[in-house]
């Protein structure tokens, strides 16, 4: 420390008070992906309920539970066994895959949750590092994990939950620096069949209507099936229906090159988070990947 600054600290008076303000204040920071999830979410780690259904329940019942929670709270439904232990999960992917193969009401009336569930269920603990969670999601292709809670059950951790960490991080990384990915689009005259095949081919849950900020998601398709189409009892040609009649939603258009934590904060406040900046689309999963960067740090 310079002598004149030391004097200002030891002998404060009206002549040298401005020197005290020049002393920099450093905080210890740490790469956010190296921190345990319980330390990143000390108050809200267990607050997202793990919605579950027994393995012998019909798919209709599973979809009825899944629709209100897709994207707004979590991404999957947990299937439980005879002792209420988690044995699998059902998300939008499992439903649209089965509907594509058999677009009739039989899939909902005569098939059980056990028959369509995925066995890729990821369990974590409070000491699991954020990096370990996201890397596991990269392997499974599904941003969803469960964590034991204090009442003997499980809580859910999804990409939406990670937005809470993203908005509280410290970074100078801007949206334009996020890795650019191919935006998958569909045309105005696309059918349900074409859209579902695009989703499965590209491993995405959302598709953008070309030249617009409107999008369709697996949630929108499943909600249409469960409501207007009465689990496909009210249609004989489901896969041939025009997708634009399903009620598309609007992605948030971002006009400024915001910092990643600022965008995460905006998306955290959205019911169904999805954003567009110039020629790129951004989902909660993109925020998860950004959090692996050394430039995403905790407030120290």
């Amino acid at each position: 420390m310079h002598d004149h600054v030391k004097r200002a600290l030891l002998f404060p008076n009206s002549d040298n008070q401005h020197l005290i303000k020049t002393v920099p204040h450093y905080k210890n920071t740490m790469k956010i992906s190296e921190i345990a999830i319980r330390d990143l979410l000390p108050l809200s780690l267990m607050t997202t309920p793990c919605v579950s259904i027994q393995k012998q329940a019909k798919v209709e019942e599973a979809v009825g539970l899944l629709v209100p929670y897709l994207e707004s709270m979590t991404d999957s439904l947990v299937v439980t066994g005879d002792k209420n232990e988690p044995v699998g999960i059902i998300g939008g992917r499992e439903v649209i895959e089965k509907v594509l193969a058999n677009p009739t009401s039989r899939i909902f009336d005569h098939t059980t949750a056990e028959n369509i569930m995925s066995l890729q269920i990821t369990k974590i603990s409070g000491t699991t590092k954020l990096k370990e969670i996201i890397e596991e999601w990269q392997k499974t292709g599904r941003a969803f994990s469960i964590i034991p809670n204090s009442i003997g059950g499980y809580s859910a951790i999804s990409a939406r939950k990670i937005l809470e960490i993203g908005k509280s991080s410290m970074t100078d990384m801007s949206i334009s620096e996020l890795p650019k990915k191919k935006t998958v689009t569909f045309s105005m005259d696309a059918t349900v069949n074409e859209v579902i095949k695009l989703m499965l081919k590209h491993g995405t849950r959302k598709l953008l209507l070309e030249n617009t900020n409107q999008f369709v998601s697996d949630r929108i398709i499943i909600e249409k099936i469960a409501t207007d189409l009465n689990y496909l009892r009210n249609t004989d040609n489901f896969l041939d229906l025009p997708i634009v009649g399903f009620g598309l939603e609007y992605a948030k258009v971002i006009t400024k090159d915001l910092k990643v934590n600022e965008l995460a904060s905006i998306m955290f406040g959205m019911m169904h988070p999805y954003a567009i900046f110039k020629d790129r689309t951004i989902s909660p999963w993109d925020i998860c990947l950004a959090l692996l960067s050394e430039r995403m740090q905790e407030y120290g």
Side-chain angles (χ1 to χ4, degrees):
M1 186 181 293
H2 295 295
D3 290 342
H4 66 284
V5 176
K6 286 182 179 178
R7 288 195 299 272
L9 292 172
L10 293 173
F11 307 103
N13 57 50
S14 58
D15 295 326
N16 57 28
Q17 282 297 306
H18 69 286
L19 294 177
I20 298 176
K21 296 179 183 178
T22 67
V23 179
H25 178 62
Y26 294 104
K27 293 184 178 181
N28 295 322
T29 59
M30 183 176 180
K31 185 178 174 182
I32 208 162
S33 64
E34 296 289 346
I35 303 173
I37 191 72
R38 68 181 181 189
D39 296 324
L40 293 170
L41 298 169
L43 301 179
S44 62
L45 181 59
M46 306 292 184
T47 57
T48 302
C50 196
V51 185
S52 64
I53 192 168
Q54 292 188 320
K55 64 181 182 179
Q56 64 268 28
K58 294 292 188 292
V59 171
E60 177 179 345
E61 186 179 347
V63 170
L65 281 174
L66 188 61
V67 168
Y69 292 101
L70 268 179
E71 297 175 343
S72 59
M73 289 185 65
T74 185
D75 289 330
S76 298
L77 189 71
V78 174
V79 181
T80 57
D82 297 330
K83 298 180 181 179
N84 290 324
E85 77 283 10
V87 295
I89 52 177
I90 296 175
R93 182 196 307 170
E94 284 68 43
V95 178
I96 63 174
E97 279 181 341
K98 296 303 184 291
V99 167
L100 183 64
N102 181 15
T104 71
S105 60
R106 287 188 59 82
I107 187 69
F108 304 101
D109 294 333
H110 303 290
T111 308
T112 64
E114 184 177 20
N115 292 135
I116 75 165
M117 70 183 186
S118 167
L119 299 178
Q120 290 183 321
I121 185 165
T122 305
K123 298 179 184 178
I124 63 171
S125 70
T127 58
T128 306
K129 294 180 180 179
L130 177 62
K131 176 179 68 174
E132 295 169 337
I133 296 172
I134 296 175
E135 288 177 347
E136 183 63 25
W137 289 353
Q138 287 178 299
K139 293 176 186 177
T140 63
R142 187 188 303 267
F144 180 79
S145 296
I146 61 174
I147 182 171
N149 57 36
S150 59
I151 58 174
Y154 291 87
S155 296
I157 305 293
S158 66
R160 179 177 181 83
K161 189 75 170 179
I162 302 303
L163 288 175
E164 187 175 345
I165 297 173
K167 74 185 184 72
S168 303
S169 63
M170 180 172 64
T171 187
D172 62 351
M173 184 189 296
S174 61
I175 304 173
S176 61
E177 296 177 273
L178 293 174
K180 199 167 184 181
K181 64 183 181 184
K182 176 180 173 59
T183 298
V184 186
T185 62
F186 65 97
S187 62
M188 183 70 74
D189 60 354
T191 63
V192 173
N193 181 62
E194 292 168 332
V195 164
I196 290 179
K197 285 182 176 179
L198 278 173
M199 286 180 175
L200 296 175
K201 177 183 177 180
H202 294 279
T204 182
R205 298 178 56 198
K206 295 185 178 75
L207 299 180
L208 203 65
L209 177 60
E210 55 188 12
N211 302 317
T212 75
N213 67 321
Q214 291 180 274
F215 69 92
V216 67
S217 67
D218 57 352
R219 178 190 54 80
I220 291 174
I221 294 173
I222 294 169
E223 187 172 10
K224 183 75 171 181
I225 290 172
T227 55
D228 295 352
L229 301 179
N230 190 22
Y231 296 96
L232 300 186
R233 298 184 187 99
N234 295 346
T235 180
D236 296 322
N237 61 338
F238 173 68
L239 295 181
D240 296 326
L241 295 176
I243 200 69
V244 292
F246 278 38
L248 306 183
E249 295 189 357
Y250 290 87
K252 174 73 173 179
V253 177
I254 306 297
T255 56
K256 296 181 179 179
D257 193 11
L258 302 174
K259 296 293 184 287
V260 172
N261 52 1
E262 295 174 319
L263 177 59
S265 181
I266 292 172
M267 296 177 74
F268 182 75
M270 299 172 65
M271 181 68 74
H272 304 119
Y274 199 46
I276 295 177
F277 175 69
K278 294 184 177 179
D279 60 346
R280 67 178 69 203
T281 55
I282 305 155
S283 69
W285 177 240
D286 296 302
I287 302 298
C288 290
L289 295 179
L291 288 171
L292 296 176
S293 170
E294 293 183 358
R295 294 168 62 188
M296 302 295 291
Q297 299 186 335
E298 69 166 336
Y299 279 105

